[in-house]
Amino acid sequence: MTTMFDKLWQDHVVAGKPGEPQLLYIDLQLIHEVTSPQAFEGLRMNHRKVRRPDLTFGTMDHDVPTENIFNIQDTIAKAQIDTLEKNCKEFGITLAKIGDSRQGIVHVVGPERGLTQPGKTIVCGDSHTSTHGAFGALAFGIGTSEVEHVMATQTIWQTKPKAMGVHVTGKLPHNVFPKDIIMGLIGKYGVAFGQGYAMEFFGDTIDDMSMEGRMTICNMCIEGGSKTGMVAPDAKTYDYVAGREYAPKDMAKAIAYWKKYKTDDISDFDKVIEFDVSELAPMITWGTNPGMATSVREPLPAVEDADDQKAYDYIGLHPGMTASEIPLDYIFIGSCTNGRYEDLKVAAEFMKGKHIAPNITAWVVPGSRAVRNRCMDEGIAQTFIDAGCEWREPGCSACLAMNPDKVPAGKHCASTSNRNFEGRQGAGARTHLASPAMVAAAAVAGHFVDISQAVTA
Amino acid sequence: MEAFTTETSKAIVIPNDDIDTDILIPKQFLKNILRTGFGINAFYPWRYHEDGSQVEDFPLNQKAHQGATILITGNNFGCGSSREHAVWALTDYGFRAVIAGGFSDIFFMNATKNGLLPIILPEADRAILRECQADEEVTIDLEQQVVKFRDHAFHFDINATWKEKFLKGQDDISLTEQYEAQIKAYEAKRPVFD
Ligand code: SF4
C-alpha cells in the first residue's frame, strides 16, 4: 500500500536505490527569463544540447512591465528577456513571448495550455512550481544548476522526502476561500512544518474545490516549508485538462492510466495533520512571513519572540490593533497564487458598481494573456476599470517587484500574492496577504473588512 | 566545482532563524545573466542603509571578520524562493560552508551544486559556536564529518553521495551522463497518450 506521492516517485526513477539520492525522469520543464540564462550559459560552455526541447516550454513573466508590456525601459530586464528569446531559438524550445496569446506567469500558463497533467514530473526554476501538483503531478521548484542539469539530461537527482497527508474537512463558510485555508494552515503550523515532506491535500473540502482553488493551495505549500504539494486527480482534473492545446490526444487512454494516482490508505502517510475549515475566518498576514497570519476578526497577536518584534518594527503596526486599523495604501490582485480567471471573477464581484476608496491605489494584473482576454470578453475587466483600478498586462508584477510595479517604502499593500517578506513588493514595502475577495473588499472600504460577515457577494 | 576537504577559517555569526532568500539576495540583483558578482550584495537589506552606505556593525561589513568563509546561523536557513543567486551571493562573498539548524530543501540542493557545504548542527552545538570571536577559527573536516571549535568537536551527518561529490569536486551533469543507457531505456517505455 502506498501514497500517490510514492507512486509518482516510483514511476519516474531511472536509477538509484531507495534511501539514497535517486535519478528521476522529468516529463516537463518550464522556463522563464530570470533563472534560465546561467543554465544556457553552462550548456554552451560545455557544448551540450537540450536533450528534450519537446518537453520544455518557456515564457516571460518576472521582469515584464505590466503597464506597457511592449516598452521595456529597464535595460537589464530587457537583456534577460532578449537572452531568453535568443536561447530558446538556439536550443529549439517553444517560447510564449511577449505579445503571444499564451504568455503569462509560468504557473498559470502550464495548466492553461494543458501542459500540466496528472502523473507528470514537472520542474521549473521557481519555487511556486508546487502549483502544478494540484493536477496530481509531482511538481517542484529547482535552482539554476538543476535547470541546466534537466536541460542536459531530462533527469534530476533527488532525495525522496517523506509523505504528509493534510486532511482538510468541513464546508467553507460564506466568503472564506482556498487562500484562507492555506494561510490558516501556515498560520497554525508555521513556515517550516512541511520541511522534508511532500504534502498531499485530501478530504471532502478538497473534493468540493475547483481546480483553481486546488492550485492556490498547492502554490503556497512552499510557504509551509514543503517544496511539493499535490491533490489526487479526479473528474474535475480530467475535465480541466481535456481539449487544451497540449492535452493528450487520447484522453481515454490517459485517464485510464492516471486513475492509479491516489493514496491507497491514510495509514500510508508518514504523518497526517487534520484541518477543519468549518469555523475558518478570512485570513490576513500582519508580519513578514506567511506564518505571521491571523483571522481578520482577531486583534493582531502579542509579541512572542525577537522575530515578531522585528516584524512589527518593519511593518509599522503593534499588537492589539484590529485588521481594519491597518492603514492600507495599495491593493494588488494577481500572481500565480490568485491571478487566475476565477480569482479575478470573485474579486470583481466585490467591486461591481462600486468605487475604490480615495486612499487606495489598485493594480489588477491577470496571470496570463488568456486570463486577460477572457476577463475583457466577460466584462470583468470593465468592472475593475469602472471601480478605479488599473487593469494591467499579464506578468508577475508586484508579487515580487522585479519589474516597475513596486509598492513604495512604508506603504501598506493588501495583496493576493504569496509572500510578505521584507522588501518583497518593493524596498520597505509592507505586504498583507489575503484572498482576492478580501483584497477587493478592502479596496472598496479603504481598509480590511470581515467579508464573511458581509451580506454582499 | 572546487573540492572540499577541510576548511579552517574565521566565522561569521548571524544567529537569526528563517533567513530568507530575499535577505540573502534581493530580487533587484537577479537580473544578471552571469553567475558572478553577487557577493557584494549578499544580505543586502541588513548590510546597507537605504542610501547605500554600509551598516557598520553588520558582521559582513566588519573589518575584523573579513576573510571569513564559514557562516553560523539559525533554523530554516534559505527559505523562500528557489533562486540559486542566494547561494552564488554567499559563495561569491567567499563563504564555503553554512552551519545551520536546518535548511530549506531547495537552498540545500542549490548549495550542494555550488560547493557550498550545508551543515546541520543542533542548537546546543550552535550555541557554543555562536561564541566564536572575530579572532578565533573554526575547522570543518568533511572526511571525518566534524566541526572543531576551541576544544569541542561536533559531529554532523551528511548523505554519502553529497559527501563524495564535495570531496571530489564533481560536476553533476558529467556524473549523470554515465547513466545514458538507463535514461534511454526509461524514455523507451514512458507512457505517451498521442
Ligand atoms: S507570480 Fe510571484 S510567486 Fe508566482 S512566479 Fe511570479 S514572482 Fe514567483
Side-chain angles (χ1 to χ4, degrees):
Chain A
M1 302 290 266
T2 50
T3 61
M4 165 171 61
F5 167 64
D6 291 319
K7 295 175 193 177
L8 283 164
W9 183 278
Q10 201 43 50
D11 284 352
H12 291 88
V13 173
V14 172
K17 294 193 209 75
E20 291 174 10
Q22 289 176 296
L23 192 63
L24 299 184
Y25 197 83
I26 298 303
D27 296 312
L28 173 66
Q29 169 154 246
L30 300 165
I31 60 172
H32 62 84
E33 73 278 17
V34 177
T35 53
S36 66
Q38 289 89 352
F40 284 112
E41 181 203 353
L43 289 182
R44 249 191 306 267
M45 266 164 36
N46 295 293
H47 310 289
R48 290 183 173 123
K49 287 196 174 68
V50 173
R51 183 185 179 92
R52 295 294 301 264
D54 58 323
L55 303 182
T56 313
F57 187 94
T59 188
M60 300 168 166
D61 51 8
H62 285 66
D63 279 357
V64 304
T66 62
E67 207 164 358
N68 184 351
I69 200 165
F70 298 103
N71 181 10
I72 307 175
Q73 297 285 339
D74 178 340
T75 49
I76 319 176
K78 179 89 170 60
Q80 266 192 345
I81 285 169
D82 291 347
T83 302
L84 180 61
E85 198 171 336
K86 190 170 96 358
N87 283 331
C88 286
K89 205 176 221 162
E90 179 179 337
F91 289 91
I93 295 167
T94 307
L95 174 69
K97 58 186 181 191
I98 291 172
D100 191 305
S101 62
R102 305 171 295 178
Q103 177 265 338
I105 304 171
V106 65
H107 310 309
V108 177
V109 168
E112 211 167 68
R113 292 296 116 208
L115 288 160
T116 304
Q117 295 169 13
K120 279 191 180 182
T121 43
I122 302 176
V123 295
C124 173
D126 188 283
S127 58
H128 292 98
T129 308
S130 56
T131 312
H132 308 266
F135 289 77
L138 175 57
F140 49 91
I142 58 177
T144 298
S145 291
E146 292 177 312
V147 170
E148 181 183 341
H149 189 281
V150 176
M151 283 177 176
T153 66
Q154 205 58 35
T155 62
I156 192 167
W157 289 100
Q158 292 283 302
T159 310
K160 192 179 177 190
K162 288 189 273 196
M164 182 190 292
V166 183
H167 190 202
V168 187
T169 53
K171 189 175 156 8
L172 272 173
H174 178 59
N175 284 340
V176 178
F177 298 91
K179 179 68 164 283
D180 300 305
I181 299 180
I182 189 67
M183 286 178 65
L185 267 163
I186 298 166
K188 180 170 177 190
Y189 294 102
V191 292
F193 77 101
Q195 221 174 68
Y197 285 94
M199 288 186 192
E200 181 185 336
F201 299 92
F202 68 103
D204 54 300
T205 320
I206 305 293
D207 294 341
D208 290 343
M209 197 178 287
S210 68
M211 287 311 295
E212 305 206 339
R214 293 175 188 178
M215 283 189 250
T216 299
I217 288 189
C218 290
N219 173 277
M220 277 189 76
C221 71
I222 182 77
E223 313 309 335
S226 176
K227 75 174 177 181
T228 187
M230 58 198 75
V231 173
D234 60 10
K236 276 185 205 164
T237 320
Y238 311 142
D239 286 350
Y240 186 100
V241 173
R244 292 180 189 262
E245 187 181 352
Y246 290 95
K249 306 247 169 353
D250 190 343
M251 268 307 277
K253 186 175 163 205
I255 292 171
Y257 184 79
W258 292 341
K259 286 212 158 127
K260 67 169 164 171
Y261 291 115
K262 58 177 175 27
T263 293
D264 298 323
D265 195 288
I266 291 193
S267 65
D268 297 330
F269 290 113
D270 296 293
K271 184 175 179 179
V272 176
I273 60 172
E274 299 284 339
F275 196 73
D276 179 359
V277 304
S278 45
E279 302 282 312
L280 191 65
M283 300 293 293
I284 59 155
T285 61
W286 58 268
T288 53
N289 74 45
M292 293 172 172
T294 181
S295 141
V296 68
R297 288 175 207 153
E298 303 287 328
L300 304 191
V303 171
E304 280 178 8
D305 56 28
D307 288 341
D308 286 353
Q309 189 56 55
K310 196 168 182 300
Y312 270 119
D313 292 346
Y314 178 85
I315 212 99
L317 303 174
H318 53 81
M321 286 175 82
T322 62
S324 64
E325 287 172 324
I326 298 172
L328 297 177
D329 309 283
Y330 282 76
I331 68 107
F332 168 62
I333 298 174
S335 87
C336 60
T337 314
N338 284 130
R340 296 184 184 78
Y341 167 74
E342 192 176 275
D343 303 313
L344 269 47
K345 184 164 183 267
V346 167
E349 281 164 20
F350 282 82
M351 290 203 191
K352 199 152 189 89
K354 303 200 176 88
H355 202 276
I356 60 170
N359 56 309
I360 299 288
T361 302
W363 298 331
V364 184
V365 186
S368 70
R369 175 79 41 200
V371 169
R372 188 173 196 274
N373 289 343
R374 184 165 177 199
C375 287
M376 289 176 61
D377 290 348
E378 296 185 10
I380 290 170
Q382 199 56 45
T383 300
F384 288 124
I385 295 166
D386 292 344
C389 303
E390 294 179 30
W391 172 248
R392 296 290 186 88
E393 300 279 343
C396 294
S397 183
C399 173
L400 93 169
M402 256 187 93
N403 41 65
D405 304 342
K406 293 178 178 62
V407 175
K411 299 290 184 194
H412 290 265
C413 179
S415 178
T416 66
S417 54
N418 45 48
R419 284 191 176 141
N420 52 339
F421 297 155
E422 286 184 25
R424 174 79 179 180
Q425 295 195 291
R430 296 159 167 176
T431 301
H432 303 282
L433 304 176
S435 74
M438 277 290 286
V439 171
V444 171
H447 54 80
F448 280 122
V449 287
D450 182 358
I451 54 172
S452 64
Q453 311 289 10
V455 272
T456 49
Chain B
M1 203 168 97
E2 197 184 337
F4 192 116
T5 49
T6 64
E7 182 76 11
T8 298
S9 158
K10 292 193 276 191
I12 284 179
V13 179
I14 305 178
N16 311 49
D17 290 334
D18 306 318
I19 293 178
D20 61 65
T21 52
D22 285 75
I23 297 292
L24 293 175
I25 188 81
K27 69 256 162 182
Q28 64 265 37
F29 304 114
L30 304 186
K31 293 180 190 164
N32 194 330
I33 52 173
L34 305 172
R35 283 175 205 243
T36 50
F38 295 100
I40 185 91
N41 297 315
F43 285 96
Y44 189 89
W46 294 351
R47 194 169 159 198
Y48 298 100
H49 293 294
E50 254 165 59
D51 64 4
S53 63
Q54 293 197 346
V55 175
E56 263 174 42
D57 59 357
F58 191 69
L60 269 70
N61 295 334
Q62 285 173 337
K63 210 161 171 228
H65 283 109
Q66 296 309 305
T69 64
I70 297 169
L71 176 64
I72 296 161
T73 184
N75 290 311
N76 196 29
F77 185 79
C79 60
S81 91
S82 63
R83 62 186 70 153
E84 195 157 323
H85 314 65
V87 171
W88 298 334
L90 296 176
T91 53
D92 194 55
Y93 177 85
F95 286 118
R96 299 218 62 213
V98 181
I99 301 174
F103 294 89
S104 90
D105 296 340
I106 300 177
F107 181 91
F108 186 96
M109 288 305 294
N110 287 338
T112 67
K113 312 277 176 203
N114 288 277
L116 180 71
L117 184 65
I119 296 177
I120 298 174
L121 283 181
E123 169 56 23
D125 298 352
R126 283 181 295 120
I128 297 169
L129 285 168
R130 283 200 294 270
E131 294 168 12
C132 184
Q133 300 299 307
D135 56 354
E136 289 184 286
E137 287 189 326
V138 173
T139 292
I140 297 167
D141 183 334
L142 177 56
E143 184 60 56
Q144 300 297 322
Q145 297 180 214
V146 284
V147 175
K148 293 182 208 154
F149 174 59
R150 297 181 185 164
D151 47 7
H152 302 275
F154 307 116
H155 174 84
F156 62 90
D157 290 324
I158 181 170
N159 172 295
T161 314
W162 304 147
K163 178 176 175 178
E164 184 78 5
K165 264 179 39 144
F166 271 96
L167 287 172
K168 294 193 175 151
Q170 281 164 329
D171 157 358
D172 272 27
I173 297 179
S174 355
L175 268 177
T176 305
E177 282 167 349
Q178 299 166 14
Y179 292 87
E180 179 59 24
Q182 282 102 315
I183 298 173
K184 271 224 172 77
Y186 183 92
E187 279 181 331
K189 68 165 179 62
R190 273 179 84 229
V192 276
F193 309 113
D194 288 337

